[in-house]
Structures are given as C-alpha cells and as structure tokens.
Amino acid sequence: MLIGHVKYLNVKVLTLLVGMCLIAGALFFLVRFADADLASASQPRPDAQAATQERKDDQDRDNDQARKDDRDKRQPDHFVRSRPKNVVWGGFPIDRPPVLTMQSEQTVRIDALSQSGATGAISPADFFAFFGVKPQDVLQDLTDFWKTIPAAGGTRVRYGPHILTGPVYIAGAAPGDTLEIQILDINLRVPYGVNNTSPMGGVLGTVYPGFRTGDTGLNTIPPTGTIPDVRQHLYRATKSRGRDVAVVTDGIEVPLAPFMGVMGVAPQTGVFVQAPANDQNVFGVQSSWPPGPFGGNMDLRDLTAGSTLFLPVFQFGAQFYTGDSHSAQGDGEVSGTAIEHSLSGVFRFILHKGQTLDFPRAETATHYIMMGTDLDLDRAMRKATLEAVKFLVTEKGLTEAKAFSLASIGIDFHAAEVVDTMQLVSARIPKSLFVKRSHDDGSKDR
C-alpha cells in the first residue's frame, strides 16, 4: 500500500515538473519574440533613419555657420570708416575709386553716418546742443563731414540727401551677376537719433503722389530744431525690460531694430530712377532719394541683423554703398523719416556669377521678401505681386495660376516705404508655407 502511494506521488511530481517546464519554455519564447518585436519596432525604417540623419546634418551645418558668423561679427576681414574720403553725399556715382576691394565670401564692417545734424548751416555740435547732447558725444567723423559741405565753406558735391559710405568693390563682379549681402550685425554708434515731423511732411506732403488741392496737414509747432516749420524729435536709446528702446513719452517705448535704410550698387549706365520731388540729375549721377533696381533707399525695415539682401549687378565690381541708417521705423515711414541714427554694420558679400535678378529681393529667418516700386502705390502693389508670383514659379515650381492663388491666401503685402515719391511695396512670403514631406502627397495641381 505504501509502495503504491509513493508511485502515485512520483507520477504526480513528474507531471508537475513537466508542466512547469512547458510553461517556462513558453514564457522563454514569448519573452524572446517580444524582445525581437521591440527591437524591430525601435529600429528606424530606412526612410525615417535618413530623415533623422538629414536633420542632424542640417543642425550641424547651422551650428557651424552660427559659430562662423559670430566669429566674423567680432573679427571681420575688413573695416571701412566713415571718414570724409570714404563717403558720398546723396548719390551712386559710377566708377568712383573703391574705398575697399574685397573677395567674395569675405566680411567687412562699414560705419555709416546719419545726415541729421550734418548737412545744415550750423555744426553738428551746435545742432545737437539744442537737444542736450554734449559736444564729446558727437561723432568726430560727422563733424569732419560737415566741414566739407558748402554751408561750412567746403566744396563737396551734393547728389541727394543721404550720406553714403562706399563704394566697396567685390572682385570679379560683372554686369549680369547677383550680389548677396548677408547682414551679420548692426550696432548703434551713438545713444541717440532724430525723427522729423512737419505739417505737410511725408505722406501728407504736397509732393506726395496722392496729394490733391485742398488736402490738409497737421499742426506741428516746432519748439526745438533748426529747420523752419519742422519739429525735430531726439530719441535716446535706453534699456527697458532687457531690450533696447526709444522712449517717446512716459509710458510709450518703441523697440529698436537697427537697419540700413540705403543699401545699393552702382546703377546701370545712363538709366536713372527719377521722380518730380527728387533732386535733379544735374551731375549725371543717380540720386539716393528714390529706390530702384539697384536697391538704394528702400527703407525696408526687415533688413536687420540676420537678414540677407540680393541685388542685381550693373557695373564691374558691383560698387556697393550704404547709409541712411535707422534705429527704428514703422512700415511706410509716414512722417518722412525714421529714427535717423548713425550705425555700424558687418556684412558678408557673396558673388553669384551669371545669376541675374530683375529687381532686389531679401530673405529673413522666417520670410522671403519680394519688392515692387512705382510712383503710383497701386502699380507698386502690382509689381510686388508679379515678383512674388515669379519667385513661386521659378523657385518653388508652382504654375502661375497656383502661385497667384497662394499670393492671395498666404502672403502679406506691406507698404514698406511710401515717402520718397517712389513707393515701395514688399511681399512677405512665409517660409513656413513650404513643408518638407517624406512621400508624395498625391497633389497634381501645382
């Protein structure tokens, strides 16, 4: 009896052991296959892996470029000061000897002078004393420039209103090329700038294309300043909540966003952009007053540090000029001036051989910017629209019909500058419209 009971227990134990082995084996295979599935799931597909690597490569390139830009801001290859010999008064003379000749992809710091206080009958020191600026806070090169103009006994020729530094020649540049100007940095040279208002100034002026007999102006009585009927407002740059601002009145601050109002190249020989209110071409030199295909007085406030301007080249060396520097401006510049402020900018020039533009264009971190100019604001708008459509067709592969549609539903048009009789409209095309896809979305109507 005892022996039979033992045999029964042995069979039971053996059965239990076999069952446990089977369960353990099943669990082993389940875990093994689960690990394999997880490993397979965590392993990127070839297309996803390529996309990840592409993003990493893009980030590495961006980081390398940022380090290079930062280094070039601090130590550009060249430096052009705004000494009297390096500046022109209000025009773009062709074949003026270069103040600097540099290679494509090199960098240069260029000082610019504001015309405020530098082109009148009294010295810059006397002018700025009206606003409480001490003589030692007036730029020496501004005073030196003033000494060269007829009002101070000098003989300098005046082609237009702005003080321009240049020309800078780019070696190898020739008509039909495109000059890329990367704006790496822009700094204030003094802690103050000037804005002008007058009863019929800017868009209210009698020379404005929309002026009609009987149009009224404003009551701007000038308690300060040196120009009759013109109120001159000096704004000091200061820090507020971690940013640079101009204090307009107690409780009103305008953020500073410095940019060069004039950036241009020597224009096409014998072709002038002219408007009734502008300086006449008595010397056969393009005035700096109106913008044109050569760039010039665009007053495009988007051209701050980090942006890029593209200009068509019309003359050998390109012959780049800059000036009319501003620390803050609203679209339109409706009073006729921004905060006119002496600045210093660092630029990198890149020459694109054989690539031709019909008109300037710009690019920021977030937008492509096309432009159109005309005496008539409606026509300027039409031209900016056509430039935007052309860009979308040639650069993004759309049909004209689809590009025109996109221009209406996704692009903003701004009256960028409307006070120099030649009016400029900018088309800001958001880069966010162009989404990278890993596969064809099936769209056929481009």
Side-chain angles (χ1 to χ4, degrees), residues 51-376:
T52 300
Q53 185 61 46
E54 183 180 0
R55 286 193 295 271
K56 183 179 182 302
D57 291 343
D58 288 344
Q59 186 62 54
D60 289 343
R61 281 192 294 270
D62 290 344
N63 290 339
D64 289 343
Q65 188 62 54
R67 284 190 288 270
K68 185 177 188 307
D69 290 349
D70 184 63
R71 183 171 61 251
D72 287 343
K73 289 177 192 177
R74 292 180 281 105
Q75 294 181 318
D77 298 307
H78 306 281
F79 182 22
V80 177
R81 301 180 186 275
S82 50
R83 303 296 301 155
K85 66 180 181 180
N86 292 338
V87 300
V88 180
W89 193 4
F92 300 90
I94 295 169
D95 293 332
R96 184 174 190 261
V99 299
L100 168 71
T101 299
M102 56 188 288
Q103 300 296 318
S104 176
E105 300 194 26
Q106 286 190 324
T107 54
V108 57
R109 175 175 290 280
I110 302 177
D111 282 350
L113 293 174
S114 167
Q115 55 273 10
S116 292
T119 59
I122 62 175
S123 72
D126 290 340
F127 172 85
F128 285 110
F130 277 94
F131 306 96
V133 176
K134 297 177 180 179
Q136 61 267 31
D137 293 331
V138 176
L139 291 171
Q140 183 61 49
D141 47 359
L142 197 71
T143 299
D144 292 342
F145 169 83
W146 177 78
K147 291 178 180 178
T148 70
I149 69 174
T155 59
R156 183 179 292 271
V157 176
R158 180 186 185 276
Y159 306 115
H162 309 106
I163 305 172
L164 305 181
T165 308
V168 172
Y169 280 52
I170 312 303
D177 296 338
T178 290
L179 182 63
E180 176 181 343
I181 302 107
Q182 296 178 359
I183 304 162
L184 302 183
D185 200 17
I186 301 184
N187 309 113
L188 308 182
R189 299 186 63 197
V190 289
Y192 55 83
V194 176
N195 171 259
N196 295 340
T197 57
S198 62
M200 293 298 286
V203 297
L204 305 178
T206 57
V207 298
Y208 186 76
F211 174 77
R212 297 291 183 271
T213 301
D215 286 351
T216 57
L218 298 172
N219 181 22
T220 58
I221 302 172
T224 59
T226 60
I227 307 173
D229 300 323
V230 175
R231 175 74 184 271
Q232 294 165 313
H233 312 261
L234 185 134
Y235 293 113
R236 294 184 181 272
T238 187
K239 286 281 188 183
S240 176
R241 291 168 291 186
R243 62 181 184 176
D244 294 323
V245 302
V247 179
V248 178
T249 63
D250 186 29
I252 300 178
E253 299 173 348
V254 175
L256 299 186
F259 72 100
M260 298 296 185
V262 171
M263 286 189 285
V265 294
Q268 189 174 356
T269 303
V271 177
F272 299 100
V273 177
Q274 201 63 30
N278 299 159
D279 298 279
Q280 298 302 309
N281 291 315
V282 294
F283 298 103
V285 171
Q286 172 64 56
S287 168
S288 67
W289 198 328
F294 53 88
N297 189 25
M298 297 173 291
D299 287 327
L300 185 65
R301 70 184 182 96
D302 302 87
L303 294 175
T304 54
S307 64
T308 302
L309 175 65
F310 299 86
L311 295 175
V313 175
F314 299 102
Q315 303 291 338
F316 288 99
Q319 304 176 35
F320 177 82
Y321 295 84
T322 191
D324 187 33
S325 43
H326 302 152
S327 58
Q329 179 197 294
D331 276 336
E333 197 186 19
V334 294
S335 82
T337 62
I339 299 183
E340 310 294 321
H341 204 137
S342 294
L343 304 178
S344 184
V346 178
F347 308 91
R348 179 186 293 123
F349 296 101
I350 299 178
L351 183 63
H352 299 278
K353 294 295 297 179
Q355 297 183 24
T356 302
L357 286 180
D358 295 326
F359 208 78
R361 64 175 56 169
E363 184 176 341
T364 70
T366 57
H367 289 78
Y368 303 106
I369 302 175
M370 308 299 116
M371 291 172 258
T373 60
D374 200 279
L375 287 173
D376 182 271

Side-chain angles (χ1 to χ4, degrees), residues 13-61:
V13 169
L14 182 61
T15 302
L16 181 62
L17 289 173
V18 170
M20 290 176 65
C21 288
L22 290 173
I23 291 171
L27 287 172
F28 172 76
F29 282 107
L30 284 172
V31 170
R32 184 174 180 181
F33 282 116
D35 288 343
D37 287 343
L38 286 172
S40 175
S42 63
Q43 185 68 27
R45 297 191 308 273
D47 57 344
Q49 192 172 16
T52 300
Q53 185 61 46
E54 183 180 0
R55 286 193 295 271
K56 183 179 182 302
D57 291 343
D58 288 344
Q59 186 62 54
D60 289 343
R61 281 192 294 270

